[in-house]
Amino acid sequence: MSSPAWNVPHLAAGAAEPEADPDRVTVYNMRFCPFAERTILVLLTKNIPFNVVNINLKKKPDWFVEKTWGTVSVVKYKGEYIMESLVNSDFVDELEPATALHPLDPLEKAKGRLLVEKFGKMRAPYYGVLLAKGDNTEEVTKKRLEMFNELKKTLDCMDKELKNKGSKFFSGDSVGMTDLMVWPWIERLPCYNVLMPGANLDIPAELTSLLAWIKNMWEVPAIKAYGLDGAAHAKFYTQYFSEHCDFDMLLTKGA
């Protein structure tokens, strides 16, 4: 069995830019980046062949900084660099219109994109929980709970939207662009319990529609292939927020 396309070392400063097949999608990625995960999930869901160039975001190669905006994901295709995960995910989707992940109805497509923007409000409090600081343990705990309560407002919105739709996914009976664009941060929520055991940072049990959606998402082949559990994300965050980070920590495991 061949190794997945993303199972390659992260290139750092001093590394040369790899040659890219102009007629094949190349993704500039970082294995643990939620934004880059969006693009990978779209490609996998659409079964579009692609190559991956992983980038060390703490020691970026000069050519990457010069030719892109310095963030991932970036899609390179026919010699052009397409930045921003929402933009390049749409670009990839339009390469194969027969398997469109957006609704064909322009109004429904707009509604789906508005949900992505609305649910995107979870990102600031999500990182706020991880980065909470204070003069003592009690103050840090208080700030974490404040951030998590803010995050829960978005989780509540997601649950209500799913209840109103009455479908398995935000996109209907099958996974679509809206689901894939909001998923990466939900995937990472279990890392809280690994990093901060006993802190009561769980998705509330009463959000039954959201919890059902999460279960359904883990059955999506693309997420089965690329998704990581809370322990893996926790291990990465432990290093990323320190001086040293081993971006290749999963390579020996073939993840």
Side-chain angles (χ1 to χ4, degrees):
M1 184 176 179
S2 61
S3 180
W6 52 86
N7 194 19
V8 292
H10 289 70
L11 301 185
E17 181 177 11
E19 290 188 17
D21 182 343
D23 297 316
R24 184 182 176 100
V25 170
T26 295
V27 183
Y28 294 89
N29 180 56
M30 192 276 276
R31 183 62 180 92
F32 301 93
C33 176
F35 293 98
E37 182 176 0
R38 286 170 158 176
T39 310
I40 300 290
L41 293 181
V42 169
L43 286 159
L44 289 172
T45 300
K46 293 176 70 71
N47 292 312
I48 294 176
F50 64 98
N51 295 327
V52 171
V53 176
N54 282 328
I55 302 294
N56 181 323
L57 295 182
K58 284 186 176 288
K59 299 176 182 178
K60 303 171 187 176
D62 290 342
W63 56 263
F64 180 72
V65 176
E66 291 168 2
K67 296 181 178 181
T68 74
W69 291 355
T71 58
V72 293
S73 62
V74 176
V75 164
K76 186 176 183 181
Y77 187 68
K78 294 190 182 298
E80 299 288 341
Y81 297 86
I82 305 158
M83 280 66 79
E84 293 296 298
S85 59
L86 289 178
V87 175
N88 59 44
S89 290
D90 280 353
F91 170 78
V92 167
D93 193 37
E94 291 168 8
L95 285 178
E96 297 284 352
T99 56
L101 292 172
H102 275 299
L104 297 179
D105 184 298
L107 181 58
E108 291 304 313
K109 178 180 178 179
K111 287 180 178 179
R113 184 44 52 85
L114 287 172
L115 287 179
V116 173
E117 294 298 321
K118 184 177 183 180
F119 299 156
K121 293 178 181 179
M122 80 173 81
R123 295 198 296 268
Y126 168 76
Y127 293 110
V129 172
L130 293 170
L131 298 171
K133 289 180 172 54
D135 294 331
N136 52 58
T137 302
E138 288 185 2
E139 193 172 316
V140 172
T141 299
K142 181 182 178 182
K143 287 186 177 180
R144 278 178 180 158
L145 287 175
E146 287 175 355
M147 288 290 100
F148 189 68
N149 286 333
E150 188 65 27
L151 188 153
K152 281 198 294 186
K153 293 178 182 178
T154 297
L155 301 183
D156 288 337
C157 286
M158 296 176 76
D159 186 72
K160 288 174 183 176
E161 182 68 26
L162 287 162
K163 278 186 171 63
N164 290 337
K165 284 183 174 292
S167 55
K168 287 178 64 176
F169 301 101
F170 289 107
S171 301
D173 294 330
S174 58
V175 73
M177 189 66 80
T178 300
D179 303 281
L180 298 177
M181 295 300 100
V182 302
W183 168 255
W185 290 270
I186 298 297
E187 176 185 307
R188 285 155 176 75
L189 288 179
C191 79
Y192 288 165
N193 285 331
V194 181
L195 295 169
M196 299 159 274
N200 298 316
L201 303 176
D202 296 298
I203 297 175
E206 61 267 24
L207 302 184
T208 54
S209 295
L210 177 62
L211 290 169
W213 173 78
I214 292 171
K215 184 178 180 181
N216 290 332
M217 288 295 283
W218 276 114
E219 293 302 314
V220 173
I223 292 171
K224 279 187 173 182
Y226 194 76
L228 297 172
D229 62 19
H233 287 300
K235 183 177 180 181
F236 170 73
Y237 284 134
T238 300
Q239 295 194 24
Y240 190 68
F241 296 132
S242 66
E243 291 184 6
H244 173 74
C245 182
D246 179 11
F247 287 92
D248 296 331
M249 65 177 70
L250 296 179
L251 289 183
T252 55
K253 299 179 180 179

